């Protein structure tokens, strides 16, 4: 079967042939992979900045944003059935008894760092025609969401942020507020974050560099959010000009931009970091103002990394709401669908919003 793998030793990204998986046993499930989304993490792995092959392997099969169909089930499988559409989760728990989060199936809060991530860290990913997975790592997807369900994994970034926001803002009379929320950045994570905030009934804004008359700005408005262009309002003046925000959801991965946006965080505000910046030169930052504001305004800065099963379940509910409210806009987030043989090239260049690899192999006999 075909797969796409990176070879860090020789710095190659290419299509490879792999043996088909052995028959499933126990609670294992054989999955026919239908679609795999490509994101910045894959491009970083493809640029050899990130990504670790499984122990003993010279390559890593990439792909972590998958939609698949159950084609065979082991004798102990009870949660999924043949023919189900599923999205697999990405992170697998570490083996250490002392890691309470992993032992409680919350490997997104792993404390040892010895977790594995399919397609990213020490475990092959889903950009291959067939995958064996344990049923406990699968989330069943309603058929009616099949054309957008590949967005589930990237949407879990926002879904986990929403869960965390709900949990930490219990510290104040949160429910009674009319929440003003800002997504910083209009890439896939920012747009999906905005959609999540809109379906959570927040008064939602998206701030990005594209002009207010760009297609991207139109897309933001079609998702029910207000677009603010960096060409019209400098980031350092956003709070003064457009009012402060109760939640800022960072989706740019550039620390200088993220910290500049703190000016727009209001009293009792929550700033959620989701991006992972590349290491660069140190940036000067006014730590006195930062600390004064955090204390005097009861502000909270929160980092979040993906994601538990509950975030996947929430992401699917949000997708369903999104498909009810603005189906065409949601579909239009997927700007490219390409066959697997073009995937290695796709990983080294970026265009559009979300690029998806379609795997259209024949039936396995
Ligand atoms: Zn991703
Ligand atoms: Zn752990």
């Amino acid at each position: 079967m075909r797969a796409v793998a990176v070879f860090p030793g020789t710095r190659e990204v290419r299509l490879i042939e792999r043996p088909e998986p052995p028959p499933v046993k126990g609670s294992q499930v054989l999955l026919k992979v239908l679609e795999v989304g490509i994101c910045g993490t894959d491009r970083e792995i493809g640029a050899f900045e990130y990504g670790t092959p499984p122990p003993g392997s010279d390559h890593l099969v990439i792909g972590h944003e998958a939609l698949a169909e159950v084609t065979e089930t082991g004798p102990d499988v009870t949660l999924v059935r043949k023919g189900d559409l599923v999205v697999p989760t990405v992170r697998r728990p570490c083996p250490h008894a002392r890691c309470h989060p992993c032992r409680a199936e919350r490997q997104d809060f792993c404390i040892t760092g010895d977790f594995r991530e399919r397609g990213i860290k020490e475990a092959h990913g889903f950009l291959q025609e067939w995958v064996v997975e344990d049923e406990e790592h699968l989330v069943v997807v309603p058929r009616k969401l099949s054309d957008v369900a590949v967005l589930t994994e990237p949407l879990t970034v926002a879904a986990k942020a929403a869960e965390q926001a709900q949990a930490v803002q219990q510290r104040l009379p949160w429910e009674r507020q009319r929440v003003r929320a800002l997504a910083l950045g209009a890439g896939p994570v920012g747009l999906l974050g905005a959609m999540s905030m809109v379906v959570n009934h927040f008064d939602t804004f998206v701030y990005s560099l594209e002009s207010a008359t760009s297609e991207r700005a139109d897309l933001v408005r079609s998702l029910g959010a207000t677009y603010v262009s960096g060409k019209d309002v400098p980031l350092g003046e956003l709070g003064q000009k457009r009012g402060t925000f109760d939640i800022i959801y960072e989706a740019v991965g550039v620390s200088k931009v993220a910290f500049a946006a703190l000016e727009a965080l209001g009293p009792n505000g929550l700033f959620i970091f989701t991006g992972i910046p590349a290491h660069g030169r140190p940036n000067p930052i006014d730590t006195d103002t930062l600390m004064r504001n955090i204390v005097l305004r009861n502000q909270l800065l929160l980092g979040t990394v993906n994601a538990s099963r509950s975030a996947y379940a929430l992401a699917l509910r949000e997708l369903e709401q999104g498909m009810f409210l603005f189906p065409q806009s949601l579909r239009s987030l997927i700007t490219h669908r390409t066959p697997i043989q073009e995937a290695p090239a796709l990983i080294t260049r970026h265009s559009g919003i979300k690029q998806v690899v379609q795997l259209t192999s024949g039936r396995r006999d």
Side-chain angles (χ1 to χ4, degrees), residues 69 217 247 310:
E69 184 176 328
I247 294 182
S310 64

Side-chain angles (χ1 to χ4, degrees), residues 93-96 99 101-103 107 110-115:
C94 78
H96 308 294
C99 185
C102 282
R103 303 291 68 78
Q107 50 267 29
C110 177
I111 57 172
T112 68
D114 290 339
F115 57 82

Side-chain angles (χ1 to χ4, degrees), residues 5-74:
V6 296
F7 291 75
T10 52
R11 295 177 76 84
E12 288 175 284
V13 184
R14 59 182 160 92
L15 203 60
I16 60 168
E17 257 319 298
R18 301 191 78 210
E20 292 200 357
V24 291
K25 45 186 196 225
S27 54
Q28 288 179 335
V29 173
L30 178 66
L31 300 175
K32 176 183 160 70
V33 180
L34 304 175
E35 292 187 332
V36 177
I38 301 295
C39 75
T41 301
D42 299 303
R43 283 186 287 274
E44 281 174 23
I45 295 170
F48 314 102
E49 291 164 15
Y50 206 66
T52 314
S57 172
D58 64 349
H59 65 280
L60 171 73
V61 175
I62 61 164
H64 57 275
E65 303 180 0
L67 172 67
E69 184 176 328
V70 174
T71 57
E72 277 173 43
T73 55

Side-chain angles (χ1 to χ4, degrees), residues 195 198-201 222-223 318-330:
M195 187 209 80
V198 168
V199 303
N200 280 291
H201 308 296
S222 77
L223 290 166
E318 291 182 348
L319 265 189
E320 200 164 355
Q321 288 169 286
M323 283 301 273
F324 177 74
L325 292 169
F326 23 70
Q328 286 316 322
S329 309
L330 200 46

